[in-house]
Amino acid sequence: MNDGSVPQPGSLALSRKEDFKAFAESPRRSRPDLLTRKQLTFLPTQARADYDRQRRQWHANIGPVKTPQLTELHEDLWDIVDSNEQDGDKAKGAVAVDAFPGLGKTTSVLAFARDFHQREIEESGAFTSQGHERIPVCRVGLTGNTGMKDLNLAMLEFFGHPGQMRGTTAQFGRRVLDCVLSCDVRLVVLDDLHFLKWGQKSGIEVSNHLKWIANEFPVTLLMVGVELAKKGLFGEGTNGRDTALAQTGRRTTRLGIRPFTIDTEAGRREWRQMLLALEQRVVLTDKHPGMLADDLSDYLFARSTGHIGSLMTLINRSCQRAVRTGAERLDQELIDRVKNDEASEAARLELQAALEKKRLTSRPRPRSRRPV
């Protein structure tokens, strides 16, 4: 965008620098006021429509929540990124966030990329010493047919480079390097890396290209995907004998994200804290303390199977229904009518049966009081 307009939050495509900049620098959403039933009833028609629209948008963007999992991942990422301050003649370590779907990989990585962008701008300013726009983060998404040329092209598209229409793979690569150096990029995020077919020629090409980026670009390479170890990114699995992939594994730190679990007291307390945090964010007139953490703890764990992505989807959709129908609260009767992702629904019945028969519980034991 060259007209100076700021993209609206709901229209952002984070594979373009203007949109990522807007995402990283825009103020956080403000939570709508929590009205009483009486206040809600007496809102004029247009004011009520505006209020409900604000709540729709708020509940659809209710995260990310600073869970222990997110905090652990960010601490590891800061360790790696901050240690990659080597001079340009040294290769920098790469990172691969490798976890199952529904655990918040992309959300957590984008939250980190946002914080990193803000820190770099605060410390070094919006423009480089040469007068170029400072772009600390380059983020691109991969597809199932991504090869070396496609990856270069996607990065050029992020920068809006005019040379993206014509050129060879090598020419595209040099143009990307020029953009990275000119804009002082320090972090390159490659999302959906699992879409690559690592056993095929394009996978080997991209693996070699990732090594080239690590060697030539003064950046930390942050890759995000599902079952990357099985795909062979770390030199194991189907491509364990391939030298190129093995070298990538030597230079890459694998980080994961764990689901919520309820088989330990610590896990149950983490789950409760998550539900308490969500309660604070829900904007429904008839909500009450303990609506999620006390009344629905077991039920929500069964419906989400401890996956934060599934939980956030379920809460979002349930809040939309509660506002639209006038229920203005969340309970099992309402949420039972709300559909969730297929993986959670498929795994729900066995877990729900164990919770209902008290073989499992998501509720932590009450903390014992010390005698006076």
Side-chain angles (χ1 to χ4, degrees), residues 75 87 177 225 273-274 350 360 364 366:
E75 287 297 324
D87 294 335
L177 180 56
Q273 290 303 312
M274 175 67 190
E350 183 177 351
L360 284 174

Side-chain angles (χ1 to χ4, degrees), residues 268-280 282 288-301 311 315 330 335 361-364:
R268 291 188 285 271
R269 292 198 180 280
E270 286 183 353
W271 178 247
R272 179 174 176 79
Q273 290 303 312
M274 175 67 190
L275 296 183
L276 289 172
L278 282 179
E279 277 186 20
Q280 293 297 315
V282 166
H288 61 272
M291 181 180 70
L292 301 183
D294 293 332
D295 299 349
L296 296 170
S297 179
D298 285 355
Y299 174 78
L300 291 174
F301 191 86
L311 175 67
I315 295 298
L330 299 183
I335 304 177
T361 181
S362 65
R363 294 177 174 84

Side-chain angles (χ1 to χ4, degrees), residues 127-147:
F127 296 93
T128 70
S129 58
Q130 301 298 316
H132 300 294
E133 182 182 13
R134 188 182 305 280
I135 305 174
V137 179
C138 171
R139 182 264 172 199
V140 297
L142 278 66
T143 68
N145 295 318
T146 300

Side-chain angles (χ1 to χ4, degrees), residues 33-37 40-41 48 51-52 55 59 282-288 291 318-331 334:
D33 294 333
L34 181 61
L35 303 183
T36 65
R37 269 284 181 177
L40 192 66
T41 301
R48 173 63 182 269
Y51 181 62
D52 286 349
R55 291 197 292 171
H59 290 136
V282 166
V283 184
L284 296 174
T285 296
D286 291 343
K287 79 170 187 177
H288 61 272
M291 181 180 70
S318 300
C319 286
Q320 306 298 347
R321 183 179 286 251
V323 169
R324 190 176 63 253
T325 62
E328 293 294 336
R329 60 176 291 171
L330 299 183
D331 55 31
L334 181 144

Side-chain angles (χ1 to χ4, degrees), residues 142-210:
L142 278 66
T143 68
N145 295 318
T146 300
M148 192 161 55
K149 188 173 184 178
D150 301 309
L151 178 55
N152 288 343
L153 179 59
M155 295 178 75
L156 286 178
E157 288 176 344
F158 176 87
F159 293 104
H161 194 287
Q164 62 183 276
M165 303 306 296
R166 183 178 301 175
T168 65
T169 301
Q171 288 171 334
F172 283 168
R174 288 194 292 271
R175 291 168 193 163
V176 172
L177 180 56
D178 287 342
C179 289
V180 167
L181 295 176
S182 298
C183 298
D184 205 13
V185 177
R186 288 291 176 262
L187 180 66
V188 172
V189 179
L190 301 181
D191 204 355
D192 292 325
L193 199 69
H194 53 274
F195 284 155
L196 290 175
K197 295 178 176 61
W198 290 95
Q200 300 181 1
K201 182 180 178 183
S202 62
I204 304 299
E205 287 179 346
V206 173
S207 179
N208 286 327
H209 196 58
L210 298 181

